[in-house]
Amino acid sequence: MTKPFALRDLVDDRPQDGVFRVNRALFRDPDLFALEMKHVFEGGWVFVGLATQAENPHDYFTGFIGRVPIIVQRDGDGVLRCFVNACPHKGVRLIQKLCGNARRHVCPYHSWTFDSTGANKNIKWQKAGCYGAGFDEDNHDLASVAKFGEYRGFLFASLNPNVPSLEDYLGEARKLIDLVVDKSPEGLELVPGRVTFTYAANWKMQLENCSDQYHFTSTHPSYIRILDQRAREQSAEVVQSSIGAADFWQEDASGTTGGTMSFDHGHVLNWGIMPVSAALPEYEHAEEWAQLHGVAKRNWMFNMRNLTIFPNLQIADNASSQMRVIRPIAAGLTEMQTWCLAPRGESAEARRFRIRQYEDFFNPTGMATPDDTVCYEEAQLGMAEQDRPWLQGHARGLTASVEGGNDYSDMIDMKPARSVLADAQLCDESLFGNYYRAWADRMAEVLS
Ligand code: FES
Ligand SMILES: [Fe+2]
């Protein structure tokens, strides 16, 4: 039975008093979890994958919208569709593999068969089945999801037909997707191989961590130390140096090192000025991009950027590029899949460099992501605290946050709802408020 939660007891949002607080129950309560699956994940747009993950006829990949398994499949004519990955017969998940290529899918339980358009092609021993007219009149095809859309190769789907258009949903944050896609006229691809992290903590820990600049020097000192050590050891003959710790904290003439931006529907960006330097795999295109896109956009393409498209897609662009997809499993259990994201057509040397720097930071063997996941699990233990429900992790930067954009968003004609400009130590946490306001908007349908 649903507990009588009131939204104001979960998200304490009082800008006039300088207060923004989040209740620990959001991270641990199973009833709240079920509600947010229904209203946040299954009630709105979620990211399902890249079009290049199913590039050829009959390619498919599988995933989840909230708790519901799905298939994204390209048919023989090249049309992409998204189905619920459940057999109409008894609900068995039709495809268990993460991806593949198949003209036909045969259900493992009683062999009902479907083609790559989702149409039912065979019901085993149908003629001998003594089915009634009602059964014959039923549609036996795979169920399409209510909404399926693409923005520049990024695929999104919704189980709820009553959602804004995908264009409206992404809004101004589309310009940040453009910065990633415009790295190559041939578009993006995933470097083969993916990593699945499963951690014993709530999905919102990952959501926040991606936009959390405050933790970087505290959680990742080993990464920073090794970068510094490499920088000291690099000889003059090294043509392409690897990224240095100082590259993350560049300051411009105004003392700004970066900042944050919040967009409608819960999307956020935190960003930092990074030099156009040979320490990034993109360097081979620096001049070309300046000519193609203008210097301001080119510089933004080099900046460190952590973008979250609420609620489940994160793109981290720094020493390399990573795509993360969040899948909540239970209030205290989350799966995150990660890929190295790369522009098509880059040189073998740039690709090698991208992968090496990716491994440094992100992989399970890397020096950063594992530190983060340990912190999520430690935080989840602390979420058990009942007597003092309010966390104090969402107030930093509150007085620096302004409505609208700033000179930096103007450079690429982007209009965020709110923004913060920062020096190296501000490390704004007020952008998390954008997540919880979007969360509260959806949950307002069911909570008083
Ligand atoms: S559950 Fe799929 S054929 Fe029976
Ligand atoms: Fe981190």
Side-chain angles (χ1 to χ4, degrees):
M1 204 183 99
T2 305
K3 296 183 188 109
F5 286 115
L7 260 183
R8 67 177 174 284
D9 296 333
L10 299 172
V11 178
D12 185 13
D13 185 6
R14 288 177 286 131
Q16 67 283 7
D17 301 328
V19 173
F20 191 96
R21 301 188 301 182
V22 173
N23 189 316
R24 286 175 163 87
L26 262 75
F27 293 81
R28 64 162 190 250
D29 190 277
D31 293 335
L32 271 183
F33 178 81
L35 288 174
E36 66 187 11
M37 285 307 96
K38 185 166 188 312
H39 295 277
V40 177
F41 275 76
E42 297 157 18
W45 287 107
V46 296
F47 175 72
V48 292
L50 294 182
T52 48
Q53 289 178 262
E55 186 142 52
N56 300 308
H58 311 295
D59 277 356
Y60 68 83
F61 60 87
T62 59
F64 287 85
I65 299 178
R67 294 160 295 191
V68 178
I70 53 137
I71 310 164
V72 174
Q73 170 118 44
R74 197 178 287 278
D75 72 11
D77 296 325
V79 178
L80 272 171
R81 294 184 180 82
C82 183
F83 306 107
V84 176
N85 186 6
C87 178
H89 184 223
K90 291 209 177 201
V92 166
R93 195 154 62 118
L94 186 64
I95 308 176
Q96 292 78 41
K97 286 170 63 180
L98 289 171
C99 57
N101 180 282
R103 288 164 187 271
R104 290 275 194 275
H105 301 291
V106 180
C107 181
Y109 204 10
H110 312 90
S111 297
W112 283 26
T113 301
F114 306 85
D115 71 11
S116 60
T117 70
N120 182 291
K121 300 309 276 185
N122 189 43
I123 290 173
K124 188 175 78 173
W125 301 336
Q126 183 170 14
K127 287 199 180 71
C130 300
Y131 285 116
F135 179 86
D136 291 340
E137 282 158 19
D138 254 1
N139 184 324
H140 309 301
D141 298 341
L142 296 179
S144 291
V145 299
K147 292 275 184 182
F148 183 50
E150 171 177 352
Y151 180 69
R152 303 204 65 192
F154 285 76
L155 304 173
F156 295 83
S158 170
L159 300 176
N160 176 4
N162 302 314
V163 286
S165 71
L166 180 59
E167 194 174 314
D168 285 351
Y169 183 67
L170 297 174
E172 288 289 298
R174 278 179 300 163
K175 290 167 185 163
L176 295 165
I177 294 179
D178 291 343
L179 294 180
V180 185
V181 179
D182 285 338
K183 285 182 184 179
S184 165
E186 300 159 61
L188 287 173
E189 64 187 357
L190 298 176
V191 173
R194 78 176 87 191
V195 170
T196 304
F197 293 83
T198 306
Y199 62 84
N202 190 267
W203 64 279
K204 293 186 260 345
M205 292 305 301
Q206 173 58 44
L207 195 71
E208 289 195 15
N209 174 270
C210 184
S211 4
D212 181 341
Q213 220 145 307
Y214 196 31
H215 82 288
F216 185 73
T217 51
S218 313
T219 311
H220 306 302
S222 49
Y223 176 67
I224 294 168
R225 271 199 304 273
I226 286 179
L227 293 187
D228 284 342
Q229 188 182 327
R230 280 189 198 152
R232 281 197 302 274
E233 287 169 358
Q234 256 156 20
S235 69
E237 298 89 63
V238 175
V239 180
Q240 195 162 39
S241 59
S242 60
I243 195 99
D247 291 326
F248 286 94
W249 304 100
Q250 292 278 313
E251 204 172 88
D252 70 5
S254 68
T256 299
T257 58
T260 69
M261 295 182 194
S262 306
F263 300 86
D264 292 344
H265 303 296
H267 318 311
V268 310
L269 170 78
N270 73 298
W271 65 279
I273 294 170
M274 261 181 146
V276 176
S277 91
L280 294 170
E282 283 82 2
Y283 189 64
E284 64 185 12
H285 296 293
E287 280 312 306
E288 177 195 328
W289 290 354
Q291 287 183 3
L292 262 175
H293 307 296
V295 170
K297 182 170 172 183
R298 186 276 310 269
N299 290 353
W300 259 105
M301 290 162 86
F302 274 80
N303 279 343
M304 184 282 285
R305 303 182 311 282
N306 289 321
L307 167 67
T308 300
I309 300 294
F310 187 80
N312 71 328
L313 168 65
Q314 300 188 312
I315 297 171
D317 238 319
N318 46 54
S320 184
S321 309
Q322 188 193 42
M323 184 173 93
R324 303 173 182 156
V325 180
I326 302 169
R327 179 193 160 211
I329 298 171
L333 189 65
T334 305
E335 178 190 277
M336 175 177 67
Q337 293 198 40
T338 62
W339 289 263
C340 179
L341 199 56
R344 283 200 151 148
E346 68 183 348
S347 70
E349 179 56 22
R351 181 62 59 94
R352 187 196 63 78
F353 194 40
R354 178 181 303 284
I355 294 171
R356 290 294 88 83
Q357 297 206 140
Y358 183 89
E359 292 162 344
D360 265 3
F361 195 88
F362 294 120
N363 261 1
T365 52
M367 292 175 282
T369 303
D371 298 333
D372 292 318
T373 30
V374 168
C375 287
Y376 308 161
E377 296 193 342
E378 291 301 320
Q380 194 70 19
L381 293 174
M383 295 301 175
E385 161 76 48
Q386 307 276 334
D387 295 339
R388 282 163 293 274
W390 297 110
L391 293 162
Q392 297 181 358
H394 305 85
R396 198 178 170 83
L398 221 55
T399 60
S401 175
V402 299
E403 215 168 292
N406 49 42
D407 291 347
Y408 297 88
S409 55
D410 288 348
M411 285 176 191
I412 49 170
D413 193 28
M414 183 169 63
K415 296 177 178 55
R418 300 195 69 80
S419 62
V420 168
L421 278 185
D423 65 22
Q425 292 186 357
L426 174 61
C427 302
D428 176 38
E429 291 177 334
S430 72
L431 82 168
F432 303 146
N434 206 44
Y435 293 144
Y436 293 104
R437 289 189 183 115
W439 184 92
D441 278 353
R442 305 274 193 92
M443 297 291 269
E445 296 169 27
V446 280
L447 299 176
S448 56

